[in-house]
């Protein structure tokens, strides 16, 4: 009986410890990695581990692992601490999956996950050993200091470069066929197919995006 009581006490202490850790973790403030610099309509942010989405406003902070969602007839511009500018069009969704920027240590890593919608990204500077990637359901775009746009659908990704270069490959490395896009060039990644060869996009397609 005594052993059972001791076991019960130990379980109780473990539960209390776990609850205390959860409360402490919840109390930890999120580190801002950027802010909203322009907004139109309704834009929501949802952070993993937090039950409710938060409506964003001008100058709202954004954080690593936030998922940003624009509603119909809405759009938002985010400026990250390294000067990168992300613009999301209507009914678009993107997660700030990983973000590290320590210029004093020459350390930079940005990984974004685009779920659906249209995006425009202006990267001010990628450090020599830095990593800046955007992942979709079937493509990975590695940025080399540039301005570019993408349209993401559940099984298709279109990328066009406005300045600089972007390397695009399929999300499944074994598919191969990676391409490097220069100014004015675009590619389409559809399903399990390799990216299409770089092709100069006409003004009509660029304007539509």
């Amino acid at each position: 009986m005594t052993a059972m009581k001791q076991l019960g006490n130990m379980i109780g202490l473990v539960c209390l410890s776990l609850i205390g850790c959860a409360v402490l973790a919840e109390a930890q403030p999120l580190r801002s990695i950027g802010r909203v610099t322009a907004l139109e309509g309704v834009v929501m942010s949802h952070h993993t581990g937090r039950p409710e989405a938060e409506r964003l406003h001008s100058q709202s902070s954004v954080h690593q692992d936030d998922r940003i969602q624009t509603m119909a007839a809405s759009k938002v511009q985010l400026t990250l601490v390294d000067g990168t500018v992300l613009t999301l069009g209507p009914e678009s969704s993107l997660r700030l999956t990983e973000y590290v920027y320590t210029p004093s240590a020459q350390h930079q890593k940005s990984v974004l996950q685009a779920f659906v919608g249209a995006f425009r990204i202006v990267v001010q500077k990628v450090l020599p050993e830095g990593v800046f990637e955007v992942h979709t359901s079937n493509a990975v775009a590695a940025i080399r200091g540039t301005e570019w746009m993408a349209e993401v659908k559940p099984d298709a990704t279109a990328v066009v470069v406005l300045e600089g270069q972007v390397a695009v490959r399929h999300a499944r490395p074994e598919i191969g066929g990676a391409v490097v896009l220069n100014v004015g060039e675009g590619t389409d990644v559809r399903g399990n197919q390799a990216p299409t060869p770089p092709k100069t996009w006409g003004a009509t397609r660029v304007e539509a995006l």
Side-chain angles (χ1 to χ4, degrees):
M1 192 72 176
T2 302
M4 291 295 292
K5 184 176 180 180
Q6 289 177 340
L7 179 60
N9 289 338
M10 290 177 62
I11 293 173
L13 288 172
V14 170
C15 290
L16 287 173
S17 177
L18 291 173
I19 292 171
C21 290
V23 171
L24 182 61
E26 187 175 350
Q28 292 285 340
L30 296 174
R31 181 178 63 88
S32 173
I33 64 170
R35 59 191 175 87
V36 175
T37 46
L39 181 147
E40 181 179 312
V42 177
V43 181
M44 306 299 293
S45 172
H46 187 274
H47 190 83
T48 301
R50 297 199 168 188
E52 296 183 359
E54 171 190 358
R55 183 169 178 176
L56 294 179
H57 303 279
S58 179
Q59 303 304 313
S60 289
S61 292
V62 293
H63 317 89
Q64 178 171 298
D65 208 34
D66 281 356
R67 178 167 176 164
I68 312 299
Q69 172 76 53
T70 59
M71 303 302 156
S74 303
K75 49 192 174 183
V76 66
Q77 181 187 82
L78 311 175
T79 301
L80 306 184
V81 295
D82 65 351
T84 296
V85 179
L86 311 174
T87 304
L88 283 68
E91 298 180 298
S92 301
S93 181
L94 177 145
R95 184 186 299 282
L96 307 170
T97 307
E98 187 174 358
Y99 187 85
V100 179
Y101 181 62
T102 312
S104 59
Q106 292 291 294
H107 187 195
Q108 180 184 25
K109 185 175 184 180
S110 302
V111 179
L112 312 178
Q113 184 176 7
F115 298 99
V116 66
F119 309 87
R120 181 170 183 160
I121 301 177
V122 181
V123 180
Q124 297 295 339
K125 183 178 182 181
V126 177
L127 297 176
E129 301 301 320
V131 173
F132 198 117
E133 293 182 346
V134 178
H135 295 232
T136 73
S137 63
N138 69 338
V140 177
I143 299 168
R144 303 176 178 179
T146 187
E147 178 179 356
W148 64 289
M149 296 190 295
E151 182 178 31
V152 180
K153 297 179 180 179
D155 199 32
T157 303
V159 178
V160 62
V161 174
L162 304 180
E163 183 178 340
Q165 284 187 332
V166 172
V168 181
R169 64 173 174 84
H170 199 280
R172 293 171 53 191
E174 68 272 18
I175 288 179
V179 299
V180 175
L181 305 178
N182 294 299
V183 177
E185 293 180 336
T187 184
D188 291 281
V189 186
R190 301 184 182 94
N192 290 324
Q193 301 176 22
T196 59
K199 179 181 179 181
T200 300
W201 278 20
T204 301
R205 187 171 183 189
V206 175
E207 294 276 339
L209 181 59

